[in-house]
Amino acid sequence: MANFGGHAIPGSFFLFYGFWLTVKCTLQHMWRTSQPKGRHNMPPFFTKMEYFEGGLQIFASFVGIMVEQFVVDGPHAHLYNRESHSWVKLMNWQHATMYLFFGFCGVALIASARSKTLPAGLDRLAISLALFVEGFLFHYHVHSRPPLDAHIHTLLLVPVFAGSACFMLEAFLRDNVILELLGACLFVLQGSWFYQIGFVLYPLSGPEWELDQHDNLMFVTMCFCWHLAVDLLLVTCTAATVCYAVKRFSASGQDIEIGMRNAPSKSNSQRALLEESDEE
Amino acid sequence: MANFGGHAIPGSFFLFYGFWLTVKCTLQHMWRTSQPKGRHNMPPFFTKMEYFEGGLQIFASFVGIMVEQFVVDGPHAHLYNRESHSWVKLMNWQHATMYLFFGFCGVALIASARSKTLPAGLDRLAISLALFVEGFLFHYHVHSRPPLDAHIHTLLLVPVFAGSACFMLEAFLRDNVILELLGACLFVLQGSWFYQIGFVLYPLSGPEWELDQHDNLMFVTMCFCWHLAVDLLLVTCTAATVCYAVKRFSASGQDIEIGMRNAPSKSNSQRALLEESDEE
Amino acid sequence: MANFGGHAIPGSFFLFYGFWLTVKCTLQHMWRTSQPKGRHNMPPFFTKMEYFEGGLQIFASFVGIMVEQFVVDGPHAHLYNRESHSWVKLMNWQHATMYLFFGFCGVALIASARSKTLPAGLDRLAISLALFVEGFLFHYHVHSRPPLDAHIHTLLLVPVFAGSACFMLEAFLRDNVILELLGACLFVLQGSWFYQIGFVLYPLSGPEWELDQHDNLMFVTMCFCWHLAVDLLLVTCTAATVCYAVKRFSASGQDIEIGMRNAPSKSNSQRALLEESDEE
Amino acid sequence: MANFGGHAIPGSFFLFYGFWLTVKCTLQHMWRTSQPKGRHNMPPFFTKMEYFEGGLQIFASFVGIMVEQFVVDGPHAHLYNRESHSWVKLMNWQHATMYLFFGFCGVALIASARSKTLPAGLDRLAISLALFVEGFLFHYHVHSRPPLDAHIHTLLLVPVFAGSACFMLEAFLRDNVILELLGACLFVLQGSWFYQIGFVLYPLSGPEWELDQHDNLMFVTMCFCWHLAVDLLLVTCTAATVCYAVKRFSASGQDIEIGMRNAPSKSNSQRALLEESDEE
């Protein structure tokens, strides 16, 4: 995976997943705040979203593991070479291990959405563990590399471990929209930083970066903060757009708050509310 | 204890204890969720489990201390040799100190189960302290060893300190099944990793591992993640099996939820519910 | 900014902001405790304070960025010099990045004060992120400097990261006056320590400090504790003065508690209570 | 203070304070659990205890500062020697700084006990800050000392920083007896460890310890765990004795629980309950 594509693919995945989480938690927050107190059942629309998300995670991690194992220069499911007494392509095995834990997330998410007897927060714990394992493996990944390469990968650990802590907290402090948006933003930051790593280490055009120059390290540190700033703006804009769209569509049919209170017993009207955009 | 057995014995103990905690907290969680709100008294069955657990901890730690002291090459309760002006077998004394704190856990557990005036959470605090002491002593244990030996013992500190934090949190955030299962899983991980240390440092067959090779360190780091994955699966399967078994046995007699609500005043029926498996 | 003024300007800003926060959270705490339970709407006076604070933050950070960019020896919005293949004035760019995040705080604060649909705690999260970015950039700022210079800047990280943690906690544990005063005190400490850095590195009079002497490091460490002690006293005195002033002015008109309970429906009387000082 | 007495005096202070806290929080816990719900006013007996504790802290820290300044080889309130261009006795100044913050605790405690408008938890925050400052100064205290000396002082930081975290938590999680006893135990541990440092570095009799021998470091690490074990036992016994004594004395007069419920309006009877031991 030591090329631009090898960083762009996980980067795209994390970017997409971050924005998906932003949309999902904004919708859920709007639903919760529009509901009268004491009612907490989510409409089937959200359960479908979770099935889709979980299925995608399982599919993506399965494809990821297969690709890491069976690319041309991959390990082809061999772990130890008895003849040369050496391990086979440990880098690919490590990446496959990371994907495996994201696959577990998908399973935990589908199981939580399906069964009501499962304890709440299991899906968040699974994401937290997946991020922890990713950061844990990356931490031992960066030994004995040139300074800029090591530094740029170390910066990646900031959103990874912060995200792990954030989702771990979500497992206990549920339905806190601030925390959920922060978690989503950390995924977006991770995704955009993967792209940045690709641009720096494998530039598509122009000269190569000098990996030992101290000024480059200082610029990259600052650049990380710019990514954070831009990603905060993007997540905020996405959440605001979702809010605006939901309010407009629900207003054209029925006011979101009054509609809720007039017809608290009609379960269909609530479901319709969120699917109106399709019906119009 | 520098042989395979010296790692397999504590490993077996922690594996067994992790699964025991899994079964216990699954049963307690099912009991809590099946109870109508406001009623929190545990049936005597759970108190008996706690007595058994505490007794076992005290017995195991007593045996452990005796073995560490009075094996053939042990210190035989001598701490300082005045003639050679040196400490006697500090390694054995350190292991005995670790066992002592696990013995304290047993005392705290029995005292909590016996007396209702003791503040809740005392038993969790005791486990947290025992794990902290274990990690604290191990941390200063690994100085000046070859890289692979030091690394594989450092990885052991991850479940130890994470477990300590987890049980410390449980002392304040009680009856959270997610946290309890995470704590149980960390014990299982510690147990299985003790076995792994034994296999790596004292291989039963085949060639010895080269303790300086960087690839071995990378493999061991990844292997730790695989242990985590397998242990998560094992704990999940155990909890699911317990759930399934309890539901089947209680369904053959009486539905667990309806049974509770029909006869909330008969304290015997509740106790019977959990002991039905023996009666059938 | 490598002169006394370059440390005195941010120092003054943080000192002022710390005292502003002290006054604001003391007033809000007095309001909350004087209100009958269940009523939580803040009077318009507080919203005006938040608009003023947010506007000032945006204005100050805009001025800061402009100054950093367009001073005589600044980068003038050039980032990379293609001729010498080097980055242009990264130090100024880093300072501008820090200011940018404090500008975001202002935007978040005004948005939170304006809109009620925004989740509570967004403004605290923004301050926490701004402090984190400041500490993060400073952390990589101090490489390869003489010992005293590095040490005195490292000590600055204590109030910065502690403040970041404190405001992050406030985003979840709202309306806790202890936490708010601690956060304000950490801003004051940061401000006074900026002055101390200026005095030590660019003394206005007298001999220069020897940057390698170990005794100087020890003194500076102790001096940091004295700053903390003095700042704690100043914040305490400020809060006490605000309490005393509000109580006196409200007593001369109407008793604060009885007044509240007699006229809970008149919204004007509540507003008047806090603005009485202007009217007298 | 580089002698046995210089470690025994603060050690005795911390030991005494730890046991005092144990007795205080046990009595308060018994009072809280014996009260019917909804009533939270403490009897005047506890307020008197807090006055005494605060007064003692202020007195002890004042004496400590005076002794550090005006002993024969002290700085006599001189900070900088202009002739030799060097700082005067920074060690004594650092100790005086530590005492100053413990003096602040006393002020905060008396103020909290006196005024009901002060926010709850201020006294705990003050202790937390005092411990943080102590640990912060000690952390920079131990540079360039022989290994055993540095290690034994580093171990002291464990109860200091753990205590700081514990009391910080108490400021937000009030009236949790587990946390209060843990904080008391960490003070006892700090006190007994001060004695241990004195015994190791300035042995009263017998040969000196070799400060470079690795076995001595290992023994001292283990010895720290034994201190923890013994201190846990001592704190537990003290709390149990207090419980037993209060129950016996209140039983000889009137049952603690029934007495409370029969006469909830007579404020004198409640106060009498805790002072009966003196009257008998």
Side-chain angles (χ1 to χ4, degrees), chain A residues 29 151 155 158 173 176-179 182 209 214-216 218-219 221-222 224-226 228-229 232-233 247, chain C residues 79 87 90-91 93-94 97 100-101 104 117 119-122 125 129 132-133 136-137 140 143 168 172:
Chain A
H29 176 67
H151 184 60
L155 289 179
V158 175
L173 216 78
N176 187 313
V177 74
I178 291 272
L179 206 56
L182 186 65
W209 290 52
H214 185 252
D215 259 21
N216 278 343
M218 272 183 75
F219 169 72
T221 310
M222 186 172 57
F224 182 78
C225 296
W226 294 355
L228 177 59
L232 281 173
L233 283 182
K247 279 197 180 155
Chain C
L79 181 60
W87 302 99
L90 278 181
M91 217 66 143
W93 277 100
Q94 289 203 348
T97 305
L100 178 69
F101 275 85
F104 282 1
T117 58
L122 202 67
L125 188 74
L129 277 176
F132 173 77
V133 165
F136 180 78
L137 287 175
Y140 292 102
H143 271 279
M168 179 60 83
F172 303 110

Side-chain angles (χ1 to χ4, degrees), chain C residues 16-37:
Chain C
F16 171 76
Y17 189 55
F19 285 116
W20 168 268
L21 282 181
T22 308
V23 172
K24 192 178 80 167
C25 75
T26 310
L27 285 179
Q28 285 180 344
H29 176 68
M30 293 190 74
W31 179 261
R32 280 194 306 263
T33 50
S34 73
Q35 290 280 90
K37 286 212 173 167

Side-chain angles (χ1 to χ4, degrees), chain D residues 168-180:
Chain D
M168 179 59 83
L169 207 59
E170 274 186 47
F172 304 109
L173 215 78
R174 293 185 65 70
D175 296 342
N176 187 314
V177 75
I178 289 273
L179 205 56
E180 288 174 338

